[in-house]
């Protein structure tokens, strides 16, 4: 039997540079369908990659496709930066050059600060936040962690986030500030009428913020869907009214004593709230839900949380409505019991006739 010969056409460099990919039968490998996607789709892919991986697409071999080589500079940045001490290797100059030379705005900025006491951090961060490459920034993350070799002077000092971060308020969709040991203060917004018209996710953990500033931020969020308030310093009570909020997480637990701990959370009006996550209520966190008719997830109710406290926590907008009608919407319930008690468990379950999943967290001393 004679094997038919296959005529293989020679692919010229001009065709490869133009982005034409040889078919699988002629390249010897599977077809590179991704490289043949529209340029806008390729830019979206590059913008979702971490900064280092996105930059590597500029040096992909021609055998893959030369279409990737110039995409990084024209794709929105997904920028992850670590802020370090002056005596450690740091990408500070690289980040400054990248922000200055990049052709399109940044899609996401994520900063990790390991807690070193360094006078250069605040002015450097302020310069970055004023960069034109960050105009219209939709996503900002700041995480401050304590390094194993952290300096004691840092943990006695407090640093205010540069007010320039508020210039992103009109375009932010995600804002997350997470700090260890309450060392980062959120800039003052009370009376400033700062609006967050597109913000959907807001997370404050271990942040120093006044009660007036927190309510000022919440008042400016018109499409907020997810809110996490954890281990705040400076806030004793918060009132929440939002027609768009779907998920709420609250914690008053803390690893280092703040000046003022969160003691009361009142959900005044949340018609679309579906999930309510609780933690740290053993620190005397008082919860009151006035109106949340779509609540499906509740927990974890803390140790010592009695049925009497449950009745006091969940009020009704009208006197005719009963507690049972609200609890009927809850499908997932999480309880903490120590020591475990079957009688207490039965008493709680009677308030949630439609619960489908029950989780009991038991601490064994």
């Amino acid at each position: 039997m004679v094997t038919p010969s296959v005529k293989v056409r020679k692919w010229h460099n001009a065709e490869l540079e133009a982005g034409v990919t040889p078919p699988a039968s002629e390249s010897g490998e599977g077809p590179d369908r991704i490289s043949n996607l529209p340029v806008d789709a390729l830019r979206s892919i590059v913008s979702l990659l971490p900064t280092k991986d996105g930059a590597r697409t500029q040096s992909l071999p021609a055998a893959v496709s030369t279409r990737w080589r110039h995409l990084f500079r024209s794709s929105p940045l997904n920028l992850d930066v670590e802020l370090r001490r002056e005596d450690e290797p740091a990408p500070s100059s690289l980040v400054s050059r990248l922000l200055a030379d990049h052709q399109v705005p940044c899609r996401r900025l994520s900063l990790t600060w390991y807690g070193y006491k360094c006078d250069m951090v605040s002015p450097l961060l302020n310069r970055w936040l004023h960069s034109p490459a960050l105009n219209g920034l939709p996503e900002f993350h700041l995480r401050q962690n304590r390094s194993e070799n952290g300096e004691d002077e840092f943990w006695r000092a407090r640093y205010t986030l540069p007010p320039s971060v508020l210039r992103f308020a009109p375009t932010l969709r995600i804002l997350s500030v997470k700090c260890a040991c309450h060392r980062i203060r959120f800039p003052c917004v009370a009376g400033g009428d700062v609006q967050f018209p597109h913000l959907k996710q807001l997370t404050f953990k271990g942040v120093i913020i006044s009660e007036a500033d927190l309510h000022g931020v919440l008042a400016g969020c018109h499409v907020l869907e997810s809110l996490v308030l954890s281990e705040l310093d400076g806030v004793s009570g918060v009132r929440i009214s939002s027609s768009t909020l779907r998920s709420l997480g609250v914690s008053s637990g803390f690893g280092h004593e703040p000046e003022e701990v969160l003691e009361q959370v009142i959900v005044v009006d949340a018609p679309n709230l579906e999930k309510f996550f609780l933690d740290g209520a053993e620190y005397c966190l008082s919860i009151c839900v006035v109106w949340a008719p779509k609540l499906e997830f509740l927990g974890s109710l803390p140790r010592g949380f009695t049925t009497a406290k449950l009745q006091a926590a969940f009020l009704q907008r009208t006197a005719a409505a009963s507690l049972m009608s609200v609890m009927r919407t809850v499908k997932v319930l999480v309880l903490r019991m120590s020591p475990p008690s079957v009688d207490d468990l039965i008493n709680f379950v009677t308030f949630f006739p439609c619960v489908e999943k029950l989780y009991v967290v038991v601490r064994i001393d």
Side-chain angles (χ1 to χ4, degrees):
M1 180 176 180
V2 180
T3 303
S5 60
V6 177
K7 185 177 180 180
V8 179
R9 182 167 72 88
K10 182 178 180 180
W11 289 80
H12 299 284
N13 289 336
E15 292 177 297
L16 294 174
E17 291 176 358
V20 179
T21 305
S25 59
E26 298 186 23
S27 64
E29 299 179 358
D32 182 7
R33 301 187 186 279
I34 295 180
S35 295
N36 289 330
L37 290 172
V39 173
D40 289 341
L42 295 180
R43 288 197 181 101
S44 297
I45 293 173
V46 173
S47 70
L48 295 174
L49 297 174
T51 310
K52 293 181 180 179
D53 295 333
R56 290 192 182 104
T57 61
Q58 300 175 103
S59 58
L60 288 175
V64 178
S65 178
T66 57
R67 298 185 72 200
W68 294 93
R69 291 185 177 179
H70 308 291
L71 290 177
F72 177 69
R73 290 175 59 84
S74 60
S75 301
L77 277 174
N78 181 10
L79 193 55
D80 288 278
V81 183
E82 292 184 356
L83 300 172
R84 296 182 179 273
R85 294 188 301 186
E86 291 177 335
D87 59 347
E88 289 186 339
S92 302
S93 58
L94 177 61
V95 172
S96 299
R97 188 168 67 252
L98 187 61
L99 290 175
D101 297 342
H102 209 69
Q103 299 173 359
V104 293
C106 185
R107 180 188 69 82
R108 174 179 175 271
L109 176 60
S110 178
L111 303 174
T112 302
W113 184 8
Y114 286 101
Y116 295 115
K117 186 177 184 298
C118 183
D119 294 336
M120 64 164 287
V121 170
S122 292
L124 178 63
L125 177 57
N126 193 47
R127 288 198 301 271
W128 287 349
L129 295 180
H130 277 102
S131 170
L134 297 181
N135 291 345
L137 184 70
E139 189 170 339
F140 178 76
H141 301 261
L142 173 63
R143 177 185 291 273
Q144 178 264 308
N145 293 328
R146 182 168 185 172
S147 171
E148 293 180 357
N149 299 321
E151 302 171 1
D152 293 337
E153 301 85 41
F154 175 82
W155 304 105
R156 291 195 294 267
R158 293 183 173 182
Y159 295 83
T160 299
L161 193 64
S164 51
V165 72
L166 296 177
R167 81 180 187 91
F168 308 128
T171 57
L172 279 177
R173 297 180 182 274
I174 299 176
L175 173 59
S176 175
V177 183
K178 299 179 180 180
C179 309
C181 307
H182 309 99
R183 289 299 177 264
I184 303 296
R185 186 186 301 276
F186 195 78
C188 178
V189 299
D193 192 27
V194 178
Q195 299 294 312
F196 297 84
H198 302 290
L199 192 64
K200 292 188 175 182
Q201 298 180 29
L202 175 61
T203 300
F204 283 155
K205 180 177 180 180
V207 177
I208 306 171
I209 185 171
S210 71
E211 197 165 308
D213 286 334
L214 178 59
H215 283 107
V217 171
L218 295 179
C221 300
H222 307 297
V223 294
L224 192 63
E225 296 180 358
S226 174
L227 174 63
V228 176
L229 303 175
S230 177
E231 305 174 25
L232 300 183
D233 184 358
V235 178
S236 61
V238 59
R239 297 172 62 90
I240 297 172
S241 294
S242 173
S243 61
T244 58
L245 191 65
R246 302 172 67 90
S247 176
L248 173 63
V250 178
S251 171
S252 64
F254 49 87
H256 295 261
E257 290 191 16
E259 294 180 359
E260 192 169 16
V261 66
L262 184 62
E263 298 178 349
Q264 185 181 56
V265 176
I266 302 177
V267 180
V268 179
D269 188 2
N272 289 302
L273 184 64
E274 298 174 353
K275 298 179 180 179
F276 193 179
F277 299 89
L278 294 170
D279 193 15
E282 60 267 28
Y283 295 100
C284 300
L285 178 63
S286 173
I287 299 295
C288 180
V289 178
V290 179
W291 185 245
K294 294 184 179 180
L295 188 64
E296 293 186 356
F297 180 99
L298 178 62
S300 59
L301 297 182
R303 292 171 294 171
F305 197 85
T306 64
T307 55
K309 290 183 178 180
L310 180 67
Q311 291 175 321
F314 288 85
L315 309 176
Q316 299 309 301
R317 171 171 289 181
T318 61
S322 65
L323 175 66
M324 191 67 70
S325 66
V326 175
M327 297 298 97
R328 197 178 299 275
T329 64
V330 176
K331 297 180 180 180
V332 181
L333 178 64
V334 184
L335 301 174
R336 278 183 290 169
M337 290 187 172
S338 181
S341 170
V342 176
D343 292 337
D344 290 343
L345 182 62
I346 294 174
N347 289 337
F348 269 109
V349 172
T350 57
F351 282 92
F352 303 92
C354 297
V355 68
E356 297 175 359
K357 295 182 179 180
L358 174 65
Y359 299 91
V360 180
V361 181
V362 178
R363 179 179 178 180
I364 301 177
D365 298 326

